Amino acid sequence: MRAPRRLIGFGLVLGLVARPSVGADLKDLYFGEALYHAYQGQFFEAIERLDTELAQYHGLDEPKLDTLHYHVNDAEFSVGDFELDYRMHHRAGRAIKAVLEGAVDESVRNEAAFRLARIEFQKDQLDDAQNALGRIQGTVPEEIKDDVEFLRANLDMATGQPGEAVKVLKQMRSDESLAGFSAYNLGIALLQDGRPKEAIEQLDKAGQLPSRDSADWAIHDKANLVLGTMLFEAGEFDRAKQSLDRVHLEGPFSNQALLRAGWAEATAEHYDRALVPWTILVNREPTDVAVQEALLAAPHAYASLNLHGRAALMYGHALEVFTGQIEKVDASIASIQDGQFLKALTREESREDENWVIRLRTLPGAPETYYLMELMASHDFQTALHNYLDLEDLRTKLTAWKTGLDAFEDLIRLRKQNYEPLLPEVDAQFREVDSRMRLRLEEKKHLGERLHAMLTVPRPEYLATAEERIAGERLTAIEKALGSSNTPQAAALHERVARLRGTLTWRLRTEYQDRLSAAYKHLEELDTHVETLTRQYDAFVRTRQAATHSYVGYDAQIERLRERVAAALERVDTTMSRQGAMIETVAVNQLNLRRDRLLVQQTEARFAVADSYDRATRVQNGAEAR
């Protein structure tokens, strides 16, 4: 039969092995955006961003040219990690298996195998976790070596092989982040392997390791509490008290440690010493189990010291506390059944505080939250609560998306109202510009063809200036006016006209090559202007299309998305209703157990009050008789 899987050490250390850690070498901004969300605990946004980026990457013809190519393995891993943090174990497992079965380096495959094993371990699928660890061969990345061995040891303990776990943990040379957890787990493994003496020595070492942060304090307090309990049960009360005294007074295990320390002294019949931790304990939060037990234990110590009057007063105080707590539990159950508990859990102002669970207990007029910390100690309740809060977040996002679709639809409507009245005038101007553009292009083409023809068949008259062309026309007109007159004046004019035409012809023919070159140069300059006009023309066409596309063709897509969001909201509402009912059932069951215990303690206190008063009266009567 397998040993219980609840290994505190591994649970606390999970966050320490999370990847990836990308710094200045980040080349893909969208991958960086996903990490930005993940580091803030916004895993839904991180998965959403990374899924989109990976889908685009895998759809590219040449993915090697994309900036994500530098981080694609990290991105594939990160999807699995983020999904795991979002408790999407199935999808996380599939993502990492895809990497594991791909053509990747040995170190990458080993890291994928480790992550898959970690997922399977969390899902309590121990055989699959061992198979995944068995795939680790060859080079293991340095940064996960200790994590792999730590996981291997936890698997051995969970599968009822504490001896193998001891061998692994003894060989581990953990870094500081794992030192406390591996030391504690080694003590537990020795205990499970039937070696209590070595287990006590190991837990004693684990309880005295230096602490760097709250996680180290917690595991050291846990080690000292377990050690103190073992020594107490073994009858070594002095050593038990020394170990329990090392537990921090403000830590999560302090109440249990104070209670056990008192019992260690009381069992050794040192009732006056037992009153020291119990007196501290009875003034703490009365909803705690240890505090409620101390409310009966402290007057018991006074009674054992024959201080029956003091004991009667404390039993009376305990009776009042138990009566009040029973009323609180009843109020909590009624409030939970009325649906107030779920409303309190989803209060936005409370969840903005990182200690929101603790703050909930101080909400005025909220009896359903009195025993919240007690409920949070239940694994089933924590899991159900996290799922419910994730569903609430998802419902908030879907509602926001639904509102966003309405806003987007309104935006499109306003665009249509703005552009449609302007487009007819714009189109008319465009058509005029278009016709002029076509005409100029045709003229340019004709000039180019004519100049090209003039290279083989010179036509100097085509390159005449406007003045030369007018002069030539005037000379023709004069010749026509002179006609065939043979008078001496006409002969002189004919001679002058011929001389002027010869001069004009001479200029055109001698300057022909220069004028032809100049014409080609001007034609090339015209190309630059035509290119500018063409770019403006194309930009106008694109702008015109963009204006139309900004409000045309969205209706069907928006309607489709609206239907999908509505369907998702309906599913979320149904699931939330079921999850909420489960949370309320778990909470009410837990509170009923507490109520039964309080009733027993109330009865004990009631009889103890009467008994103490009787004893005090007898002592007083005896004293008066003497």
Side-chain angles (χ1 to χ4, degrees):
M1 182 177 176
R2 287 172 172 166
R5 183 186 167 276
R6 295 178 186 276
L7 304 176
I8 291 177
F10 188 75
L12 290 173
V13 83
L14 282 177
L16 302 176
V17 298
R19 275 177 50 98
S21 58
V22 179
D25 57 343
L26 183 66
K27 296 181 185 291
D28 187 274
L29 291 180
Y30 295 108
F31 181 48
E33 183 185 351
L35 297 181
Y36 171 78
H37 287 301
Y39 289 150
Q40 297 181 85
Q42 300 167 354
F43 294 107
F44 182 90
E45 288 79 2
I47 295 168
E48 179 189 22
R49 176 73 269 178
L50 211 48
D51 270 349
T52 305
E53 187 67 5
L54 282 170
Q56 291 179 352
Y57 172 81
H58 291 301
L60 294 174
D61 293 334
E62 296 185 70
K64 291 183 178 179
L65 300 180
D66 191 80
T67 52
L68 184 64
H69 184 69
Y70 299 99
H71 311 291
V72 66
N73 287 332
D74 258 346
E76 300 280 6
F77 277 142
S78 298
V79 169
D81 263 354
F82 300 161
E83 289 171 341
L84 185 61
D85 283 309
Y86 204 59
R87 290 182 302 290
M88 298 166 63
H89 294 102
H90 292 293
R91 284 197 53 175
R94 285 199 298 271
I96 294 180
K97 278 181 181 176
V99 176
L100 194 61
E101 294 168 359
V104 295
D105 294 339
E106 188 177 70
S107 59
V108 176
R109 184 182 296 106
N110 285 339
E111 188 169 355
F114 162 67
R115 295 191 181 204
L116 182 60
R118 193 182 65 183
I119 292 172
E120 303 291 1
F121 181 77
Q122 287 183 308
K123 291 161 62 179
D124 209 14
Q125 297 175 352
L126 305 181
D127 291 337
D128 293 336
Q130 283 186 320
N131 290 335
L133 273 185
R135 301 177 72 167
I136 296 178
Q137 294 177 349
T139 305
V140 178
E142 192 66 33
E143 60 271 18
I144 65 166
K145 275 186 177 178
D146 286 340
D147 298 320
V148 170
E149 295 307 309
F150 191 71
L151 177 59
R152 196 186 306 280
N154 280 295
L155 264 174
D156 288 336
M157 294 171 68
T159 52
Q161 306 176 70
E164 297 299 321
V166 170
K167 294 177 185 175
V168 174
L169 289 169
K170 280 187 173 180
Q171 293 175 354
M172 274 187 65
R173 295 181 177 178
S174 313
D175 57 23
E176 292 183 354
S177 64
L178 285 176
F181 302 102
S182 58
Y184 172 78
N185 279 7
L186 178 56
I188 299 299
L190 287 168
L191 181 63
Q192 292 180 354
D193 199 34
R195 297 150 70 179
K197 186 176 179 181
E198 294 177 64
I200 288 174
E201 292 175 358
Q202 179 59 35
L203 287 172
D204 190 43
K205 291 179 184 176
Q208 299 185 60
L209 288 174
S211 302
R212 299 174 306 139
D213 49 31
S214 57
D216 284 344
W217 283 357
I219 196 66
H220 295 166
D221 285 354
K222 179 69 176 176
N224 283 314
L225 181 62
V226 172
L227 176 61
T229 303
M230 291 174 61
L231 292 171
F232 173 75
E233 292 174 351
E236 299 186 40
F237 305 124
D238 289 338
R239 289 186 63 192
K241 189 172 183 307
Q242 289 176 5
S243 177
L244 293 169
D245 285 346
R246 290 201 294 259
V247 177
H248 293 83
L249 278 178
E250 303 301 326
F253 303 106
S254 61
N255 288 352
Q256 284 294 330
L258 287 170
L259 182 65
R260 302 272 174 85
W263 280 120
E265 296 288 3
T267 307
E269 298 186 354
H270 300 152
Y271 297 108
D272 52 341
R273 295 181 186 177
L275 283 171
V276 176
W278 285 345
T279 302
I280 297 173
L281 196 52
V282 295
N283 292 315
R284 293 194 171 187
E285 172 60 42
T287 57
D288 189 273
V289 173
V291 174
Q292 292 172 357
E293 187 173 338
L295 286 170
L296 292 175
H300 170 73
Y302 278 111
S304 300
L305 293 171
N306 293 322
L307 299 174
H308 298 293
R310 177 64 177 164
L313 291 175
M314 291 199 71
Y315 276 128
H317 172 68
L319 185 58
E320 292 178 4
V321 171
F322 293 142
T323 304
Q325 290 303 311
I326 290 171
E327 291 174 356
K328 279 190 174 182
V329 171
D330 289 340
S332 296
I333 293 174
S335 186
I336 289 171
Q337 290 173 338
D338 193 36
Q340 299 302 317
F341 186 49
L342 297 179
K343 291 180 182 177
L345 291 177
T346 55
R347 286 174 66 149
E348 192 61 34
E349 65 273 23
S350 300
R351 295 175 60 189
E352 289 175 356
D353 186 345
E354 61 178 0
N355 297 318
W356 66 276
V357 173
I358 300 173
R359 306 285 186 214
L360 280 176
R361 290 170 37 157
T362 63
L363 288 176
E368 65 279 354
T369 62
Y370 290 156
Y371 279 83
L372 184 60
M373 295 304 293
E374 188 71 19
L375 294 172
M376 289 296 289
S378 161
H379 177 72
D380 292 341
F381 181 81
Q382 279 203 39
T383 303
L385 175 61
H386 283 149
N387 289 336
Y388 185 81
L389 294 178
D390 283 345
L391 285 169
E392 172 64 20
D393 286 341
L394 187 56
R395 183 167 68 173
T396 303
K397 292 181 191 304
L398 288 170
T399 304
W401 292 347
K402 184 180 178 183
T403 307
L405 288 175
D406 293 339
F408 194 58
E409 208 169 43
D410 196 42
L411 180 68
I412 291 171
R413 181 182 58 77
L414 292 174
R415 281 179 178 173
K416 186 176 181 180
Q417 287 181 358
N418 180 55
Y419 285 126
E420 276 198 340
L422 300 176
L423 288 180
E425 178 66 21
V426 171
D427 288 344
Q429 293 179 7
F430 175 71
R431 283 193 292 272
E432 184 178 348
V433 171
D434 182 61
S435 61
R436 290 180 181 177
M437 184 78 186
R438 292 177 185 278
L439 178 61
R440 295 294 178 266
L441 289 174
E442 189 63 32
E443 289 176 348
K444 175 181 173 294
K445 180 182 176 183
H446 178 68
L447 285 174
E449 291 173 352
R450 177 175 285 187
L451 287 175
H452 184 72
M454 288 166 64
L455 289 174
T456 53
V457 181
R459 298 296 298 270
E461 65 275 17
Y462 286 174
L463 300 180
T465 64
E467 292 178 350
E468 290 168 345
R469 195 173 296 111
I470 293 171
E473 290 174 354
R474 284 182 177 177
L475 290 174
T476 302
I478 291 171
E479 285 176 340
K480 187 176 180 181
L482 291 175
S484 57
S485 176
N486 293 324
T487 61
Q489 293 82 1
L493 289 173
H494 276 298
E495 185 177 353
R496 291 184 63 186
V497 169
R499 192 160 47 245
L500 289 172
R501 188 176 295 283
T503 301
L504 185 60
T505 302
W506 170 264
R507 181 187 296 177
L508 290 175
R509 289 182 181 275
T510 55
E511 296 179 1
Y512 179 74
Q513 295 300 329
D514 293 338
R515 294 189 179 198
L516 186 60
S517 299
Y520 264 108
K521 185 177 180 181
H522 294 321
L523 188 63
E524 290 177 355
E525 290 175 354
L526 187 60
D527 286 343
T528 305
H529 296 294
V530 169
E531 287 176 2
T532 302
L533 284 174
T534 303
R535 284 197 297 272
Q536 293 175 350
Y537 178 87
D538 293 341
F540 183 89
V541 171
R542 286 195 297 272
T543 304
R544 172 68 172 80
Q545 289 176 342
T548 305
H549 292 169
S550 67
Y551 65 87
V552 173
Y554 292 97
D555 295 344
Q557 191 174 1
I558 289 177
E559 188 58 32
R560 193 163 52 248
L561 289 173
R562 196 187 301 282
E563 290 175 359
R564 289 178 60 185
V565 169
L569 261 176
E570 186 177 349
R571 287 199 301 273
V572 168
D573 286 339
T574 303
T575 309
M576 275 193 75
S577 177
R578 294 173 182 169
Q579 192 70 20
M582 181 186 297
I583 288 175
E584 290 176 342
T585 301
V586 172
V588 169
N589 289 340
Q590 289 286 330
L591 290 176
N592 278 327
L593 291 175
R594 290 301 304 274
R595 189 178 188 281
D596 294 342
R597 181 183 175 85
L598 284 167
L599 284 173
V600 172
Q601 290 173 323
Q602 184 190 40
T603 304
E604 290 179 11
R606 183 173 290 120
F607 282 108
V609 168
D611 182 63
S612 294
Y613 275 119
D614 288 343
R615 290 175 183 270
T617 303
R618 285 199 297 271
V619 170
Q620 186 176 5
N621 292 338
E624 291 174 355
R626 285 194 298 271

